[in-house]
Short mmCIF file of all heavy atoms in Angstrom, two decimals:
data_model
loop_
_atom_site.label_atom_id
_atom_site.label_comp_id
_atom_site.label_asym_id
_atom_site.label_seq_id
_atom_site.Cartn_x
_atom_site.Cartn_y
_atom_site.Cartn_z
N THR A 1 0.85 -1.18 0.00
CA THR A 1 0.00 -0.02 0.00
C THR A 1 0.89 1.24 0.00
O THR A 1 2.02 1.20 0.43
CB THR A 1 -0.97 0.05 1.22
OG1 THR A 1 -0.23 0.00 2.41
CG2 THR A 1 -1.95 -1.12 1.13
N PHE A 2 0.31 2.36 -0.48
CA PHE A 2 1.05 3.59 -0.73
C PHE A 2 0.25 4.77 -0.21
O PHE A 2 -0.89 4.94 -0.57
CB PHE A 2 1.30 3.68 -2.24
CG PHE A 2 2.01 4.96 -2.68
CD1 PHE A 2 3.04 5.49 -1.98
CD2 PHE A 2 1.63 5.58 -3.85
CE1 PHE A 2 3.70 6.65 -2.36
CE2 PHE A 2 2.30 6.70 -4.32
CZ PHE A 2 3.34 7.25 -3.54
N ALA A 3 0.86 5.55 0.64
CA ALA A 3 0.27 6.83 1.13
C ALA A 3 1.04 7.96 0.49
O ALA A 3 2.14 8.28 0.94
CB ALA A 3 0.29 6.92 2.65
N PRO A 4 0.54 8.59 -0.57
CA PRO A 4 1.30 9.63 -1.28
C PRO A 4 1.35 10.91 -0.54
O PRO A 4 0.57 11.16 0.44
CB PRO A 4 0.53 9.78 -2.61
CG PRO A 4 -0.85 9.42 -2.23
CD PRO A 4 -0.75 8.31 -1.19
N GLN A 5 2.23 11.78 -0.95
CA GLN A 5 2.34 13.10 -0.37
C GLN A 5 1.26 14.01 -0.90
O GLN A 5 0.59 13.69 -1.86
CB GLN A 5 3.71 13.71 -0.66
CG GLN A 5 3.99 13.99 -2.11
CD GLN A 5 5.27 14.82 -2.36
OE1 GLN A 5 5.24 16.01 -2.47
NE2 GLN A 5 6.38 14.10 -2.43
N GLY A 6 1.10 15.16 -0.27
CA GLY A 6 0.14 16.17 -0.77
C GLY A 6 -1.25 15.90 -0.31
O GLY A 6 -1.57 15.87 0.85
N ASN A 7 -2.14 15.59 -1.30
CA ASN A 7 -3.59 15.38 -0.93
C ASN A 7 -3.75 14.04 -0.27
O ASN A 7 -3.93 13.02 -0.88
CB ASN A 7 -4.41 15.44 -2.21
CG ASN A 7 -4.39 16.84 -2.86
OD1 ASN A 7 -4.30 17.83 -2.16
ND2 ASN A 7 -4.43 16.87 -4.17
N ARG A 8 -3.71 14.04 1.03
CA ARG A 8 -3.61 12.81 1.80
C ARG A 8 -4.98 12.16 1.96
O ARG A 8 -5.12 10.97 2.19
CB ARG A 8 -3.01 13.08 3.19
CG ARG A 8 -1.68 13.79 3.16
CD ARG A 8 -1.14 13.91 4.56
NE ARG A 8 0.12 14.63 4.59
CZ ARG A 8 0.27 15.92 4.86
NH1 ARG A 8 -0.81 16.64 5.12
NH2 ARG A 8 1.46 16.46 4.86
N VAL A 9 -6.09 12.95 1.96
CA VAL A 9 -7.40 12.41 2.19
C VAL A 9 -8.36 12.95 1.12
O VAL A 9 -8.09 13.87 0.42
CB VAL A 9 -7.92 12.87 3.62
CG1 VAL A 9 -7.00 12.34 4.72
CG2 VAL A 9 -8.04 14.38 3.68
N PHE A 10 -9.53 12.26 1.06
CA PHE A 10 -10.63 12.75 0.25
C PHE A 10 -11.37 13.75 1.13
O PHE A 10 -12.17 13.40 1.98
CB PHE A 10 -11.53 11.63 -0.20
CG PHE A 10 -10.79 10.62 -1.10
CD1 PHE A 10 -10.26 9.44 -0.61
CD2 PHE A 10 -10.63 10.90 -2.47
CE1 PHE A 10 -9.57 8.55 -1.43
CE2 PHE A 10 -9.96 10.00 -3.30
CZ PHE A 10 -9.44 8.85 -2.79
N ALA A 11 -11.14 15.04 0.85
CA ALA A 11 -11.54 16.12 1.80
C ALA A 11 -13.06 16.18 1.97
O ALA A 11 -13.52 16.52 3.05
CB ALA A 11 -10.99 17.44 1.33
N ASP A 12 -13.84 15.88 0.94
CA ASP A 12 -15.27 16.02 0.99
C ASP A 12 -15.97 14.79 1.59
O ASP A 12 -17.20 14.82 1.83
CB ASP A 12 -15.88 16.29 -0.42
CG ASP A 12 -15.40 17.65 -0.94
OD1 ASP A 12 -15.09 18.53 -0.12
OD2 ASP A 12 -15.31 17.82 -2.16
N LEU A 13 -15.22 13.78 1.88
CA LEU A 13 -15.81 12.56 2.46
C LEU A 13 -15.49 12.53 3.96
O LEU A 13 -14.60 13.16 4.45
CB LEU A 13 -15.19 11.28 1.82
CG LEU A 13 -15.39 11.18 0.26
CD1 LEU A 13 -14.78 9.86 -0.21
CD2 LEU A 13 -16.86 11.22 -0.10
N THR A 14 -16.29 11.72 4.67
CA THR A 14 -16.06 11.59 6.12
C THR A 14 -14.86 10.72 6.34
O THR A 14 -14.31 10.06 5.44
CB THR A 14 -17.27 10.96 6.79
OG1 THR A 14 -17.40 9.61 6.34
CG2 THR A 14 -18.52 11.74 6.52
N VAL A 15 -14.39 10.70 7.60
CA VAL A 15 -13.27 9.87 7.96
C VAL A 15 -13.63 8.41 7.67
O VAL A 15 -12.82 7.67 7.07
CB VAL A 15 -12.94 10.07 9.46
CG1 VAL A 15 -11.96 8.99 9.96
CG2 VAL A 15 -12.38 11.43 9.71
N MET A 16 -14.84 7.98 8.02
CA MET A 16 -15.25 6.60 7.80
C MET A 16 -15.24 6.28 6.29
O MET A 16 -14.80 5.18 5.88
CB MET A 16 -16.61 6.34 8.43
CG MET A 16 -17.11 4.90 8.19
SD MET A 16 -15.99 3.64 8.86
CE MET A 16 -16.24 3.83 10.62
N GLU A 17 -15.76 7.18 5.49
CA GLU A 17 -15.80 6.93 4.06
C GLU A 17 -14.38 6.84 3.49
O GLU A 17 -14.14 6.02 2.59
CB GLU A 17 -16.59 8.07 3.35
CG GLU A 17 -18.08 7.97 3.64
CD GLU A 17 -18.81 9.22 3.21
OE1 GLU A 17 -18.22 10.32 3.09
OE2 GLU A 17 -20.06 9.15 2.98
N ASN A 18 -13.43 7.63 4.02
CA ASN A 18 -12.06 7.49 3.58
C ASN A 18 -11.54 6.10 3.92
O ASN A 18 -10.85 5.47 3.08
CB ASN A 18 -11.19 8.54 4.24
CG ASN A 18 -11.09 9.87 3.48
OD1 ASN A 18 -10.19 10.04 2.69
ND2 ASN A 18 -12.00 10.78 3.71
N LEU A 19 -11.84 5.61 5.08
CA LEU A 19 -11.36 4.31 5.49
C LEU A 19 -12.05 3.18 4.65
O LEU A 19 -11.41 2.19 4.33
CB LEU A 19 -11.61 4.07 6.96
CG LEU A 19 -10.90 5.04 7.91
CD1 LEU A 19 -11.17 4.69 9.37
CD2 LEU A 19 -9.39 5.05 7.67
N GLU A 20 -13.31 3.42 4.35
CA GLU A 20 -14.00 2.40 3.52
C GLU A 20 -13.40 2.28 2.12
O GLU A 20 -13.39 1.18 1.53
CB GLU A 20 -15.49 2.78 3.44
CG GLU A 20 -16.23 2.52 4.75
CD GLU A 20 -17.66 3.08 4.73
OE1 GLU A 20 -17.95 3.89 3.83
OE2 GLU A 20 -18.42 2.75 5.62
N ILE A 21 -12.88 3.42 1.60
CA ILE A 21 -12.19 3.36 0.31
C ILE A 21 -10.94 2.42 0.42
O ILE A 21 -10.65 1.66 -0.50
CB ILE A 21 -11.79 4.77 -0.14
CG1 ILE A 21 -13.04 5.51 -0.57
CG2 ILE A 21 -10.76 4.71 -1.28
CD1 ILE A 21 -12.83 6.97 -0.88
N GLY A 22 -10.25 2.50 1.57
CA GLY A 22 -9.12 1.61 1.76
C GLY A 22 -9.52 0.12 1.76
O GLY A 22 -8.71 -0.71 1.41
N GLY A 23 -10.74 -0.12 2.19
CA GLY A 23 -11.20 -1.50 2.23
C GLY A 23 -11.99 -2.01 1.07
O GLY A 23 -12.52 -3.13 1.11
N TYR A 24 -12.05 -1.21 0.01
CA TYR A 24 -12.90 -1.64 -1.12
C TYR A 24 -12.50 -2.95 -1.73
O TYR A 24 -13.41 -3.65 -2.24
CB TYR A 24 -12.93 -0.51 -2.21
CG TYR A 24 -11.80 -0.59 -3.19
CD1 TYR A 24 -11.94 -1.28 -4.37
CD2 TYR A 24 -10.57 0.05 -2.94
CE1 TYR A 24 -10.86 -1.37 -5.29
CE2 TYR A 24 -9.55 0.00 -3.83
CZ TYR A 24 -9.67 -0.75 -5.02
OH TYR A 24 -8.63 -0.82 -5.89
#
């Protein structure tokens, strides 16, 4: 897995939705 620099999160989504993207 890769956590890139810069835009670290999907800003318009909730924390949970960001984590759900990781689990897709």
Side-chain angles (χ1 to χ4, degrees):
T1 58
F2 177 39
Q5 64 171 266
N7 296 326
R8 305 183 183 99
V9 299
F10 296 96
D12 294 333
L13 302 182
T14 66
V15 169
M16 179 58 73
E17 288 168 338
N18 270 268
L19 299 181
E20 288 171 346
I21 288 173
Y24 85 91

